[in-house]
Amino acid sequence: MDEPITRMSTEECWEFLRRREFGRLAHHLADEVHIAPVNYAVDHDPATGRRSLLFRTAEGSKLLGVVMNPDVAFEVDEIVDEHATSVVMRGRARRLEEDEEHRAENVPLRPWVATEKWNVVEVDVTEISGRRFELARPWQHIIPD
Amino acid sequence: MDEPITRMSTEECWEFLRRREFGRLAHHLADEVHIAPVNYAVDHDPATGRRSLLFRTAEGSKLLGVVMNPDVAFEVDEIVDEHATSVVMRGRARRLEEDEEHRAENVPLRPWVATEKWNVVEVDVTEISGRRFELARPWQHIIPD
């Protein structure tokens, strides 16, 4: 029988992230935890090998949260038939300064919807782990329509 | 032109949740924010009209986190072609007592993978909002393979 859960290597996690563009950011806002869907890109500096996540956010609660408390978590997943993959990261977020924002131009990162003003946030990933699940879904037939 | 973002009503949000089974839980763990994929079900008490989320979790950080600090956020989304939908909730989580765990038997909630021991956690939803996005994805052609 296949093992139901397989741990992914760090390289497999980054490769999974590089091929996707949509994740969920969990962040603090004062004493609360918040979650929001974001589109992201992996920025990779070939000189140093350093990889980080970039995303754009409008002025508002997400940005306010990471400026006040940079501790964030991020998740990207995919379910295809009976196979689920989830990569989870933790890290430190910071708003890029104006003279760094050009980095967002060099990666496939564009806002999904037009809005007036964007800031670029970088997440320096301190922990990354990924798991693949073989789903049994014994209850599939009872999900209500 | 279509509006790029549409707000969903509370009823639309719950209906979206009821038809799905996979989301992401953001929770505190001491001073950190964590995120984890979970499968969930909506529990609906027809007598009171009260709705909440139920999920199972093994002993570990998620459970420890919500016992220590019940403030959580939860997100469920779907992307089909150029249409993205995301429902975001905030609420209070608690572990169900043994004499309440039978509630998990009455909803389509089963662990995806076999493990030794499960607890049932309920999220009492205090805020719920949903958005539909029409995606432009002008950068689609430049996503690396």
Side-chain angles (χ1 to χ4, degrees):
Chain A
M1 203 177 78
D2 287 348
E3 276 295 309
I5 303 182
T6 312
R7 300 245 163 221
M8 296 160 69
S9 71
T10 299
E11 273 311 308
E12 285 176 310
C13 290
W14 280 109
E15 182 60 19
F16 183 82
L17 294 177
R18 193 177 67 81
R19 290 171 177 267
R20 285 159 188 87
E21 58 182 344
F22 182 72
R24 299 93 197 162
L25 178 76
H27 62 91
H28 300 268
L29 184 61
D31 293 339
E32 298 177 345
V33 59
H34 285 247
I35 191 169
V38 296
N39 82 290
Y40 73 93
V42 174
D43 191 24
H44 181 214
D45 182 342
T48 63
R50 180 173 177 271
R51 288 173 291 203
S52 63
L53 302 180
L54 295 179
F55 61 89
R56 289 176 195 266
T57 181
E59 301 277 357
S61 72
K62 279 204 290 270
L63 184 67
L64 181 66
V66 305
V67 168
M68 290 170 60
N69 185 339
D71 176 73
V72 297
F74 197 78
E75 197 259 3
V76 179
D77 58 49
E78 181 177 77
I79 301 179
V80 178
D81 302 327
E82 306 302 296
H83 308 281
T85 306
S86 170
V87 172
V88 169
M89 287 140 282
R90 288 194 14 84
R92 311 286 291 176
R94 73 180 181 101
R95 176 179 165 181
L96 292 191
E97 303 295 333
E98 267 181 40
D99 64 354
E100 299 173 291
E101 287 187 349
H102 65 88
R103 289 172 50 199
E105 303 302 322
N106 301 327
V107 293
L109 177 66
R110 299 288 182 279
W112 276 7
V113 290
T115 187
E116 55 298 330
K117 186 160 189 327
W118 296 90
N119 296 105
V120 182
V121 173
E122 174 171 38
V123 177
D124 183 22
V125 175
T126 54
E127 297 169 39
I128 185 167
S129 63
R131 291 178 297 173
R132 299 188 191 278
F133 306 86
E134 299 301 315
L135 306 180
R137 294 185 162 177
W139 70 102
Q140 186 80 306
H141 63 290
I142 59 169
I143 292 178
D145 289 328
Chain B
M1 200 178 79
D2 288 346
E3 277 295 310
I5 302 182
T6 313
R7 299 247 163 219
M8 295 160 71
S9 70
T10 299
E11 274 310 309
E12 285 176 309
C13 290
W14 281 108
E15 182 61 18
F16 183 82
L17 294 178
R18 192 177 69 79
R19 290 170 177 269
R20 283 158 189 86
E21 57 181 346
F22 183 72
R24 297 94 197 159
L25 178 75
H27 63 89
H28 300 268
L29 183 62
D31 292 339
E32 298 176 345
V33 59
H34 285 247
I35 190 169
V38 295
N39 80 288
Y40 73 91
V42 174
D43 191 25
H44 180 216
D45 182 343
T48 63
R50 179 173 177 273
R51 287 174 289 202
S52 63
L53 302 181
L54 295 179
F55 61 89
R56 289 176 194 265
T57 181
E59 301 279 356
S61 71
K62 277 201 295 271
L63 184 67
L64 181 67
V66 304
V67 168
M68 289 169 62
N69 184 339
D71 177 72
V72 296
F74 198 80
E75 197 258 5
V76 179
D77 57 49
E78 183 178 75
I79 301 179
V80 178
D81 301 328
E82 306 302 296
H83 310 282
T85 306
S86 170
V87 172
V88 168
M89 288 141 282
R90 288 194 15 85
R92 311 286 290 175
R94 72 181 180 99
R95 175 178 166 180
L96 292 191
E97 302 295 334
E98 266 181 41
D99 64 353
E100 300 174 291
E101 287 187 350
H102 66 87
R103 289 172 51 199
E105 304 300 321
N106 301 325
V107 294
L109 178 65
R110 299 289 181 281
W112 276 8
V113 289
T115 188
E116 55 299 331
K117 186 161 188 322
W118 295 91
N119 297 104
V120 182
V121 172
E122 174 170 38
V123 176
D124 184 25
V125 174
T126 54
E127 297 169 38
I128 185 168
S129 63
R131 290 177 297 174
R132 298 188 192 280
F133 306 86
E134 299 301 316
L135 306 180
R137 293 183 162 180
W139 70 102
Q140 185 81 307
H141 64 291
I142 59 168
I143 293 179
D145 288 327

